[in-house]
Amino acid sequence: MTEQAPPAGTPDLAPQDAGASPGSAAGDAEVGAARSGVPGGETADVIVVGAGPAGSAVAYYLATTGLDVLMLEKTHFPREKVCGDGLTPRAVKALTAMGVSTPENDGWLRNRGLRIIGGGGRIELDWPELSSYPGYGLVRPRADFDQILARHAQKAGARLLEGTAVTGPIVDDRSGRITGVTTKTGRKFHGRLVVAADGNSSRLSVAMGLHKREDRPLGVAVRTYYSSPRHDDNYLEAWLDLWDGASLLPGYGWIFGMGDGTSNVGVGLLNTSSGFGEIDYRELLRRWLATMPSEWGFTEENRTQPIRGAALPMAFNRTPHYTRGLMLVGDAGGLVNPFNGEGIAYALESGELAARVITQALARTTAASGERVLQSYPRQLKDAYGGYYTLGRIFVELIGKPSFMKFATKHGIKRPAVMRFSMKLLGNLTETRGGDAVDRLLNAVSKMTPAA
Ligand SMILES: Cc1cc2nc3c(=O)[nH]c(=O)nc-3n(C[C@H](O)[C@H](O)[C@H](O)COP(=O)(O)OP(=O)(O)OC[C@H]3O[C@@H](n4cnc5c(N)ncnc54)[C@H](O)[C@@H]3O)c2cc1C
């Protein structure tokens, strides 16, 4: 098969520096293994902006293939990230695939499933027993979870510059293609490819003209920590009764025991409710907590952290996921699951997928051939999640109607079979092949639903 000529302005993706070992960027706080050989130390095969779960996953997988990867992270580890700190079996599987060990005697708290409270009922559902996913989830504070992942990527050979805020792309005038990035201190880094792993706001994507889509769901969540006797709960707990006057809101409150004397407690809502944008989330959290038994300790005196919030970009709310040398992973690509607000598993999975695509692209011998591979990334993401996310968008529209939310909560909670089905659907936890009738039904519906 003959290779097509590259389109005008397509830079050469083939190795420009074959045989050279990666170099060490001078200055800033470089923590990665020092290397030498790249001119000026300011280039790499791949520049990854952001070292959250998505950035560390893509860097880890790229480094294992021998590519020179440079992660640029604006903060210093360990650092806080506003999150519920909950990891479902899907996230545990992704961690295991990366070789991150999660022993219970090293700060990883295991959980057996989900406890759901709402509509006057309460049910405990164990995670499903599947060959595709482990039967347990985990809790780990993001304050050190993200550091563990970043160090794991470094051990595999990725370089990391902490305290390095990226301010914008370097764009080739002729092709409009990103060829590198600039930082707050005026440094320039060049790469054959750039990955946006800079989270929900993804300023890098915005600077490349990729804005959030208004037609996709968005969540907002706030959380804090309390000293609590419930700190070692072995179920993740979700409360569906979040009221705004007489309206039942589309979202849930959570209580996740951290195993360290505290519980992570928060509320998250979807933008499909009519009052979205006007709701005082901190007040909603306080009102909800006021209904809890006092012995659980969710009081102001026991609060150990400020109440902080952030957005959850859902269901591909930034596209395309690849354009002009820039690849989007995790929250930058709006990959949070609209059914349950889970984002870490999708950050890790998209990081792995992106790395596999990039590795193949950079091994091609012509730019046009490499470009064709890179352009398959959005399609592969759609194949993986597109149908499921379309269903999720229908789901968030439905639960945005208080009457539907009330009906579903009241009638669903009392029916264990419905709740087990819901758990598989909401958690995206089905056997990838075969499985029981529920797995086959959910997989078939997801496949048949168009990825839009
Ligand atoms: C309140 C709340 C609770 C949540 N609870 C859960 C939960 O329990 N379980 C779950 O699975 N998901 C949860 N999520 C979602 C989850 O936090 C995200 O989906 C996940 O963090 C996405 O990972 P990421 O690597 O894509 O982005 P991020 O984790 O946001 O990482 C982005 C990184 O990029 C860095 N960065 C940003 N801009 C720049 C720049 N200009 N230059 C250099 N570096 C930059 C940031 O410092 C950060 O380290 C929650 C979200 C919120 C808001």
Side-chain angles (χ1 to χ4, degrees):
M1 203 170 77
T2 53
E3 305 275 18
Q4 280 174 2
T10 305
D12 192 0
L13 285 171
Q16 291 150 11
D17 203 19
S21 59
S24 163
D28 294 281
E30 178 159 7
V31 193
R35 295 172 171 193
S36 60
V38 168
E42 308 280 76
T43 68
D45 288 322
V46 184
I47 306 287
V48 178
V49 178
S56 290
V58 75
Y60 165 80
Y61 282 106
L62 287 170
T64 58
T65 68
L67 286 165
D68 176 24
V69 196
L70 177 61
M71 289 188 278
L72 304 174
E73 166 57 48
K74 70 176 177 187
T75 65
H76 290 271
F77 292 112
R79 60 102 176 90
E80 195 191 19
K81 156 78 179 93
V82 180
C83 189
D85 305 324
L87 300 164
T88 66
R90 201 172 175 105
V92 177
K93 179 181 183 173
L95 290 173
T96 307
M98 283 174 68
V100 175
S101 65
T102 57
E104 282 187 284
N105 59 7
D106 193 24
W108 297 89
L109 187 69
R110 285 196 189 168
N111 53 70
R112 301 176 51 165
L114 205 53
R115 183 181 306 115
I116 303 173
I117 296 162
R122 176 184 190 275
I123 187 167
E124 273 176 6
L125 296 162
D126 285 356
W127 298 116
E129 276 305 327
L130 303 168
S131 66
S132 306
Y133 298 99
Y136 67 96
L138 293 165
V139 169
R140 178 97 201 192
R142 290 292 295 275
D144 67 351
F145 176 77
D146 287 28
Q147 171 167 271
I148 291 167
L149 294 190
R151 300 289 177 252
H152 191 69
Q154 287 179 274
K155 270 190 218 132
R159 292 184 285 143
L160 170 65
L161 280 176
E162 297 181 38
T164 306
V166 167
T167 45
I170 300 170
V171 178
D172 177 67
D173 283 345
R174 207 160 55 92
S175 61
R177 199 180 168 93
I178 185 169
T179 59
V181 293
T182 52
T183 73
K184 206 171 172 183
T185 54
R187 296 175 71 183
K188 290 185 167 67
F189 295 93
H190 297 274
R192 293 156 69 193
L193 209 76
V194 178
V195 177
D198 49 348
N200 162 59
S201 309
S202 192
R203 299 246 158 78
L204 186 62
S205 306
V206 173
M208 288 293 288
L210 303 178
H211 296 271
K212 274 190 183 147
R213 292 178 59 152
E214 296 296 325
D215 61 343
R216 296 297 145 115
L218 188 80
V220 170
V222 297
R223 71 93 175 92
T224 186
Y225 296 87
Y226 294 91
S227 305
S228 170
R230 300 201 48 199
H231 75 102
D232 56 358
D233 193 353
N234 60 355
Y235 282 86
L236 299 179
E237 189 166 287
W239 289 60
L240 305 179
D241 286 336
L242 293 182
W243 295 91
D244 181 26
S247 291
L248 189 54
L249 295 167
Y252 64 89
W254 70 82
I255 301 170
F256 297 168
M258 301 301 298
D260 62 356
T262 67
S263 295
N264 180 320
V265 181
V267 293
L269 288 183
L270 291 157
N271 63 351
T272 47
S273 62
S274 55
F276 185 84
E278 285 148 39
I279 286 168
D280 179 341
Y281 290 84
R282 286 170 176 76
E283 187 45 38
L284 179 68
L285 177 68
R286 289 200 181 100
R287 265 205 327 265
W288 170 57
L289 289 181
T291 66
M292 306 273 158
S294 60
E295 60 272 22
W296 291 357
F298 301 139
T299 57
E300 278 304 289
E301 312 85 78
N302 292 337
R303 187 157 61 76
T304 61
Q305 298 272 336
I307 302 173
R308 294 215 163 95
L312 295 113
M314 297 170 164
F316 294 160
N317 102 343
R318 195 190 308 273
T319 56
H321 290 112
Y322 171 75
T323 182
R324 294 166 289 141
L326 184 72
M327 198 166 259
L328 276 50
V329 291
D331 277 14
L335 285 176
V336 172
N337 181 345
F339 282 105
N340 65 359
E342 175 183 16
I344 297 170
Y346 301 92
L348 299 174
E349 289 179 10
S350 60
E352 178 180 6
L353 178 60
R356 303 222 178 283
V357 171
I358 294 169
T359 304
Q360 292 300 329
L362 296 189
R364 294 290 172 103
T365 52
T366 68
S369 176
E371 189 62 20
R372 221 173 2 252
V373 179
L374 294 170
Q375 284 176 2
S376 74
Y377 174 65
R379 202 181 58 240
Q380 293 193 50
L381 273 182
K382 276 191 175 179
D383 287 348
Y385 311 125
Y388 178 75
Y389 282 179
T390 303
L391 290 176
R393 287 163 53 204
I394 299 167
F395 170 82
V396 302
E397 285 301 326
L398 281 174
I399 67 166
K401 297 180 187 17
S403 53
F404 178 86
M405 182 73 187
K406 205 167 162 181
F407 177 86
T409 309
K410 191 168 164 213
H411 295 282
I413 198 101
K414 298 189 184 117
R415 293 174 174 76
V418 172
M419 295 311 286
R420 274 194 295 275
F421 175 90
S422 304
M423 187 197 216
K424 282 191 167 184
L425 172 68
L426 273 49
N428 201 4
L429 290 170
T430 54
E431 289 290 19
T432 36
R433 272 190 194 82
D436 64 13
V438 172
D439 295 334
R440 290 198 298 276
L441 174 72
L442 291 176
N443 290 340
V445 173
S446 292
K447 273 205 187 86
M448 273 158 33
T449 309

